[in-house]
Amino acid sequence: TGRGDIVPAVKAYYEAQGMYGMPKKGQIDYTDVVELDLSTVKPAVSGPRRPHDRIDLPSIKARFAELMGKPVAEGGYGKSADDIPHMCPKEPAYDAPGGGYGKSTETGGKRFPVNLAGTDEPLTGGGSQEDYYWMARTEVEMVDDHPRPGVAQPGVQRATKGSMDVGHGDVLISAITSCTNTSNPGVLLGAGLLAKKAVEKGLKPHPRVKTSLAPGSRAVTQYLENAGLLPYLERLGFYLAGYGCTTCIGNSGPLDSKIEETVNKNDLVVAAVLSGNRNFEARIHQSIKANFLMSPPVVVAFGLAGTVNIDMSKDPIGTGKDGKPVYLKDIWPSQKEIADVMKYATDPEMYKRLFSAFKEGNPMWDEIPASVGSTYRWDEKSTYVRLPPYFEGFTMTSGKAVDVKGARVLGIFGDSITTDHISPAGGIRATTPAGKYLQEHGVAVADFNTYGARRGNHEIMMRGTFANVRIKNLMVPGSEGGVTIHYPSGKQTTIYEAAMQYQKEGVPSVVFGGDEYGQGSSRDWAAKGPQLLGVKAVIVRNFERIHRANLVFIGVLPLEFKDGASVQSLKIDGSETIDLLGIGNGIKPMQDVTMVIHRKNGQTDKVPLKLRIDTPIEVDYYQHGGILPYVLRELLAAA
């Protein structure tokens, strides 16, 4: 990658440390030796809700059907037997013998029409299926006598006639996105080779599939171009969308409005496939409930198949131009084929040229006006970046830890609550508190952007805290989204509005959860958001380790139930007031804290909790009101 000048220093360092090279057997006395039989390694994907839910590739069809029928309380989708797609959707041109492919939709679960007749709205698929849409391009090259758009702009195909349908398990997003594995030339070249073979076989994605290519580096498109593979990805709709975080962080862009309307109206469980490393609920797209992580070549394959209701090991993924079924094995590139084009990705001069010309390749950076001075000039009209309130009332004297008394319950959540549930990463809906705020500040719905893009505005992020469309507050049974009950009024409202009311009333609040609270990306807003809402403590069965630390860093008490206790065993419903005692006498790492539950019937219960402030330095952080005031006091004291 053009960094050869540092290799001698790296080699010398590792040699000096006795760590250079692969040790021979017996040279190092390891604590544990793990043996792996490579013949047992199987291709896999993960999903549909968590990156660590591994599924063998051939089993995705069966696993999806299983989850469709499982109750929601058990992590499923709670659909009836009539909804569960047992067969792959029928391809008009081919009825495959056996394997559950090519059967009628009557045996494949309910499907719902999306009428696109006469519409001129953009569709989001790729390929060149003229019966459904045409390609709005001007600059055209020819690849094997096929038109190749010269302008990279995904999602501009337009419907001209006909209609389509959509059902459970349909793939609506197929994205090679920049998370993690687009740094691996092998899988990206493999995706290009698979696309080439697919084009040669005459395959194309269904127009309902939104396709995109967003690698992490300009080197990727350069070596795909040099290898002659980028045109084939483009032929399948995988046009360059940009460089950086896209689908993996919720920047997938909108679905076609009529497709999304049909999905939401009929509560369809549709799918996204992406080469990312996070797939938590509502992260990829708020209307897509099943999201599967996989390598780039497999992303392309599922984009072609158009469904996750398929066993890639034996079901055809489509029909070739010769009318015969095409299987994954027919288009999967060999290791030799990948090795033959690897030379295009290992050209040092290419990397040197691209990385040295970074500024010249990004003229828009130079067009951004910038202020000068020793301090940042805050723009009061900005809806992207605002002065946060973390240092309001700041003094050089640290505070004192105090007991929490009379706190109200802001939310009660179940197991496996992720940082995405706590602080969403995807799009902003117009009806949410964040959406209403933007509209009040003159921002059109089309310009909302995402929570991630607006994370410099604490007003947006506060309103987005606990506002994930899939989060379930057990205080409001059967609900989804950021709703709660304000007490003592008993009024159902949004979590943000309830939190603001409690702050107005001078009432602290707490949040309850179950196992694995805070798993997922170590996102600071999942801690900052609750703190700004006035949450004084989060009380759960156990924490994800980084999120626990982040709560301490921002000045929120992380507390765990003891002796197998839980919200359920204590019959907490959210109408209670909570005291947390034993903090005001001075904090010690891992000390016990007494939770006093004042129930609405007048009953009082005392429950022991463990304070998960684990180290002396974390005690200091908390007593200073968090790590930000702590660091500022340290800097000012040393000045």
Side-chain angles (χ1 to χ4, degrees):
T1 57
R3 300 181 179 92
D5 55 336
I6 69 169
V7 169
V10 173
K11 180 181 178 182
Y13 173 82
Y14 280 104
E15 285 178 335
Q17 297 296 325
M19 297 170 62
Y20 182 76
M22 182 67 71
K24 295 179 181 178
K25 188 174 182 179
Q27 283 188 328
I28 294 180
D29 184 18
Y30 291 102
T31 306
D32 295 296
V33 176
V34 179
E35 294 186 0
L36 173 64
D37 181 353
L38 293 179
S39 68
T40 65
V41 176
K42 298 178 181 178
V45 301
S46 75
R49 288 191 176 99
R50 303 185 303 179
H52 50 286
D53 291 333
R54 183 188 183 282
I55 306 172
D56 288 345
L57 181 59
S59 302
I60 188 172
K61 178 179 179 180
R63 178 61 175 159
F64 182 73
E66 176 190 350
L67 289 172
M68 285 288 289
K70 254 189 175 182
V72 173
E74 298 176 19
Y77 295 109
K79 300 299 180 181
S80 68
D82 291 339
D83 287 320
I84 301 173
H86 299 290
M87 308 297 177
C88 293
K90 182 178 179 181
E91 280 287 339
Y94 178 67
D95 288 326
Y101 184 82
K103 301 300 181 182
S104 67
T105 55
E106 286 77 16
T107 60
K110 293 180 181 178
R111 301 193 65 78
F112 300 87
V114 181
N115 187 13
L116 300 169
T119 183
D120 194 39
E121 292 188 9
L123 267 180
T124 52
S128 57
Q129 252 176 311
E130 290 80 11
D131 286 345
Y132 290 100
Y133 52 85
W134 55 277
M135 303 179 77
R137 310 289 198 215
T138 53
E139 300 178 24
V140 174
E141 298 178 33
M142 300 300 290
V143 178
D144 296 339
D145 298 322
H146 295 288
R148 173 194 172 198
V151 181
Q153 178 64 40
V156 299
Q157 291 80 13
R158 297 179 183 273
T160 55
K161 59 181 178 178
S163 63
M164 67 173 67
D165 58 21
V166 62
H168 297 298
D170 285 359
V171 171
L172 297 189
I173 290 178
S174 176
I176 300 175
T177 187
S178 69
C179 296
T180 309
N181 57 19
T182 57
S183 295
N184 181 349
V187 294
L188 287 161
L189 290 167
L193 288 166
L194 186 142
K196 181 176 184 292
K197 290 170 178 277
V199 168
E200 291 168 348
K201 290 282 187 181
L203 299 182
K204 51 182 100 42
H206 192 281
R208 66 173 163 255
V209 183
K210 180 171 187 173
T211 49
S212 62
L213 170 65
S217 169
R218 288 189 296 155
V220 173
T221 45
Q222 186 65 65
Y223 64 65
L224 285 171
E225 179 77 49
N226 293 346
L229 298 175
L230 187 59
Y232 295 101
L233 284 164
E234 291 175 342
R235 285 282 313 286
L236 298 183
F238 290 90
Y239 294 97
L240 175 68
Y243 301 98
C245 294
T246 50
T247 302
C248 191
I249 194 62
N251 294 331
S252 57
L255 297 175
D256 175 79
S257 60
K258 294 189 177 180
I259 294 176
E260 185 171 8
E261 179 184 356
T262 304
V263 168
N264 292 331
K265 179 181 178 181
N266 298 286
D267 193 26
L268 294 178
V269 182
V270 292
V273 295
L274 61 146
S275 63
N277 56 23
R278 296 287 187 274
N279 58 342
F280 298 117
E281 289 185 303
R283 181 185 181 103
I284 307 306
H285 191 284
Q286 293 182 345
S287 295
I288 296 182
K289 294 183 178 180
N291 301 284
F292 296 91
L293 308 181
M294 54 191 66
S295 70
V298 187
V299 166
V300 177
F302 272 96
L304 292 167
T307 179
V308 295
N309 181 38
I310 182 174
D311 178 352
M312 284 278 182
S313 67
K314 63 181 181 182
D315 295 338
I317 61 175
T319 304
K321 57 188 176 184
D322 58 2
K324 295 180 179 179
V326 179
Y327 297 85
L328 181 62
K329 64 182 180 181
D330 298 329
I331 59 174
W332 191 261
S334 68
Q335 288 298 314
K336 182 181 184 305
E337 289 172 316
I338 294 175
D340 287 344
V341 293
M342 186 59 71
K343 61 185 178 182
Y344 298 107
T346 54
D347 174 14
E349 295 306 315
M350 175 190 69
Y351 291 95
K352 290 178 181 178
R353 183 176 67 257
L354 289 173
F355 295 161
S356 65
F358 177 79
K359 188 174 182 180
E360 288 80 354
N362 293 271
M364 287 187 292
W365 285 113
D366 295 331
E367 297 174 8
I368 299 175
S371 59
V372 295
S374 59
T375 58
Y376 182 78
R377 295 182 185 176
W378 299 96
D379 181 359
E380 292 299 320
K381 296 180 180 180
S382 175
T383 56
Y384 275 97
V385 182
R386 294 186 66 84
L387 176 63
Y390 303 121
F391 299 106
E392 287 182 0
F394 176 84
T395 66
M396 284 298 293
T397 304
S398 65
K400 182 181 181 295
V402 297
D403 293 339
V404 177
K405 295 184 178 180
R408 285 292 182 179
V409 182
L410 193 60
I412 300 174
F413 305 106
D415 296 337
S416 301
I417 293 298
T418 71
T419 52
D420 278 14
H421 285 117
I422 304 167
S423 181
I428 302 171
R429 288 190 170 180
T431 54
T432 62
K436 293 176 181 178
Y437 169 88
L438 286 171
Q439 291 174 83
E440 290 167 359
H441 286 75
V443 180
V445 174
D447 298 325
F448 274 8
N449 215 318
T450 64
Y451 284 108
R454 292 191 179 272
R455 58 192 167 193
N457 184 344
H458 63 280
E459 296 286 356
I460 294 292
M461 301 308 289
M462 289 170 60
R463 288 163 172 79
T465 301
F466 298 116
N468 184 297
V469 297
R470 299 284 170 252
I471 198 170
K472 298 173 180 63
N473 187 353
L474 303 181
M475 291 172 62
V476 189
S479 68
E480 278 192 330
V483 295
T484 192
I485 303 293
H486 172 269
Y487 285 102
S489 69
K491 177 186 176 183
Q492 180 174 321
T493 184
T494 66
I495 287 179
Y496 170 76
E497 289 164 343
M500 294 301 100
Q501 184 64 30
Y502 287 138
Q503 288 195 23
K504 184 178 179 180
E505 298 164 352
V507 175
S509 60
V510 298
V511 166
F512 286 98
D515 287 318
E516 299 179 309
Y517 185 90
Q519 66 172 263
S521 305
S522 55
R523 304 180 61 227
D524 59 338
W525 270 112
K528 292 192 295 188
Q531 190 260 4
L532 291 174
L533 291 183
V535 173
K536 301 302 181 183
V538 177
I539 307 161
V540 302
R541 285 177 59 85
N542 54 73
F543 289 97
E544 190 278 333
R545 64 181 183 87
I546 299 177
H547 183 64
R548 179 209 64 80
N550 284 347
L551 288 172
V552 179
F553 293 163
I554 203 64
V556 176
L557 290 168
L559 295 159
E560 289 182 352
F561 291 109
K562 299 182 66 174
D563 306 321
S566 66
V567 168
Q568 289 72 27
S569 69
L570 296 170
K571 295 182 171 54
I572 297 172
D573 63 14
S575 62
E576 304 82 0
T577 57
I578 304 294
D579 297 338
L580 299 171
L581 309 179
I583 300 166
N585 297 329
I587 293 178
K588 295 181 180 178
M590 304 290 282
Q591 74 174 60
D592 281 357
V593 170
T594 299
M595 176 172 67
V596 183
I597 306 171
H598 301 277
R599 304 184 189 273
K600 60 183 178 181
N601 62 5
Q603 179 182 339
T604 298
D605 296 307
K606 293 184 178 181
V607 179
L609 302 174
K610 178 187 286 187
L611 176 62
R612 288 301 313 277
I613 293 181
D614 292 357
T615 64
I617 188 62
E618 288 184 346
V619 172
D620 290 343
Y621 292 155
Y622 180 77
Q623 290 179 332
H624 276 263
I627 196 170
L628 296 177
Y630 174 88
V631 170
L632 182 57
R633 290 187 181 106
E634 291 282 302
L635 291 172
L636 293 174

